[in-house]
Amino acid sequence: KAGVTQTPRYLIKTRGQQVTLSCSPISGHRSVSWYQQTPGQGLQFLFEYFSETQRNKGNFPGRFSGRQFSNSRSEMNVSTLELGDSALYLCASSLSVVDTQYFGPGTRLTVL
Amino acid sequence: AQTVTQSQPEMSVQEAETVTLSCTYDTSESDYYLFWYKQPPSRQMILVIRQEAYKQQNATENRFSVNFQKAAKSFSLKISDSQLGDAAMYFCAYRRGAETSGSRLTFGEGTQLTVNP
């Protein structure tokens, strides 16, 4: 089985722009979670989707949003980018919400 | 809220030797899961081992084993016969067990492991 894929792998944006990141889970996995990783804050949970419904959301401003499609693929969007949004964004998928999560390679976002 | 603490920012080990990485956590839950993930320079997060809190037996995966002390809320990872490929950042993670809690992972700060030839 193919692993979790994330596109694009690298992204450079300027402040004020918006960005959309994509995540394709392992085939058959219906739960997708997103995490932000920065040197200062470490790994922080953004949100979780299961069967197209957002089940949990972390402590991030409303500029961060996401969605999940019927094929379980997920996208996250960040609007009005700030310098502090520069980070590695990791997506993880699992069969269900109680199963082990498997991570994708991440998208490295740089905001200039 | 649950917290996970890794008190060793950096560790080093000689190739073929054994090393233990420490992790403590704080929770009022009785049903939960604990994980160790490794993140090599490629930044791909890879599952190393998983432990269910209701299981008294410590999990093992080949050269990787854990020492799970539920009362002490301690979850250490032992790597035996260390190999150069084990060099990575290791993260301890916690997840609540109830399905209603979702799959949210709480991570520790990480321990950077160096393996010396």
Side-chain angles (χ1 to χ4, degrees):
Chain A
K1 273 187 181 179
V4 178
T5 58
Q6 292 186 244
T7 56
R9 293 292 312 278
Y10 302 91
L11 207 48
I12 299 175
K13 292 286 187 179
T14 56
R15 280 181 297 174
Q17 287 187 310
Q18 76 164 19
V19 66
T20 299
L21 311 182
S22 180
C23 171
S24 293
I26 293 171
S27 178
H29 285 196
R30 296 170 62 193
S31 177
V32 173
S33 296
W34 290 88
Y35 297 85
Q36 181 196 63
Q37 185 176 22
T38 60
Q41 299 297 317
L43 282 150
Q44 293 187 289
F45 171 79
L46 279 157
F47 25 65
E48 171 199 351
Y49 288 88
F50 181 78
S51 293
E52 301 179 66
T53 301
Q54 186 180 88
R55 288 187 52 119
N56 277 298
K57 190 176 193 301
N59 189 25
F60 279 82
R63 300 185 297 106
F64 291 80
S65 64
R67 59 178 175 169
Q68 186 181 34
F69 301 94
S70 59
N71 60 359
S72 295
R73 190 177 70 86
S74 177
E75 288 182 348
M76 67 164 281
N77 184 76
V78 188
S79 62
T80 319
L81 283 166
E82 300 177 359
L83 296 179
D85 297 333
S86 294
L88 180 68
Y89 290 88
L90 293 166
C91 168
S93 77
S94 57
L95 277 169
S96 72
V97 296
V98 296
D99 290 297
T100 299
Q101 293 181 58
Y102 296 91
F103 284 79
T107 293
R108 168 72 67 185
L109 171 65
T110 301
V111 182
L112 302 174
Chain B
Q2 294 80 26
T3 59
V4 178
T5 302
Q6 294 178 248
S7 58
Q8 307 154 314
E10 298 177 345
M11 291 281 286
S12 63
V13 63
Q14 291 297 126
E15 198 174 1
E17 297 289 303
T18 296
V19 64
T20 298
L21 309 184
S22 301
C23 172
T24 59
Y25 58 95
D26 186 25
T27 183
S28 58
E29 306 282 332
S30 59
D31 182 19
Y32 53 88
Y33 296 81
L34 296 165
F35 304 84
W36 280 98
Y37 283 89
K38 65 181 277 190
Q39 188 178 44
S42 67
R43 310 298 275 173
Q44 174 88 47
M45 194 77 80
I46 300 166
L47 175 70
V48 176
I49 202 163
R50 157 184 162 139
Q51 174 79 46
E52 293 86 344
Y54 64 84
K55 288 187 177 179
Q56 292 187 343
Q57 187 172 7
N58 290 324
T60 62
E61 285 289 342
N62 301 313
R63 297 182 295 107
F64 300 87
S65 62
V66 298
N67 183 5
F68 174 48
Q69 300 290 326
K70 191 171 184 178
K73 295 181 182 175
S74 170
F75 183 60
S76 61
L77 174 70
K78 185 172 84 172
I79 307 174
S80 304
D81 186 25
S82 297
Q83 301 175 1
L84 296 177
D86 295 333
M89 180 73 87
Y90 285 79
F91 291 96
C92 178
Y94 167 99
R95 197 196 82 213
R96 295 172 70 183
E99 185 170 342
T100 52
S101 302
S103 57
R104 174 180 188 157
L105 290 169
T106 299
F107 287 91
E109 306 90 336
T111 296
Q112 182 66 53
L113 177 66
T114 300
V115 181
N116 300 308

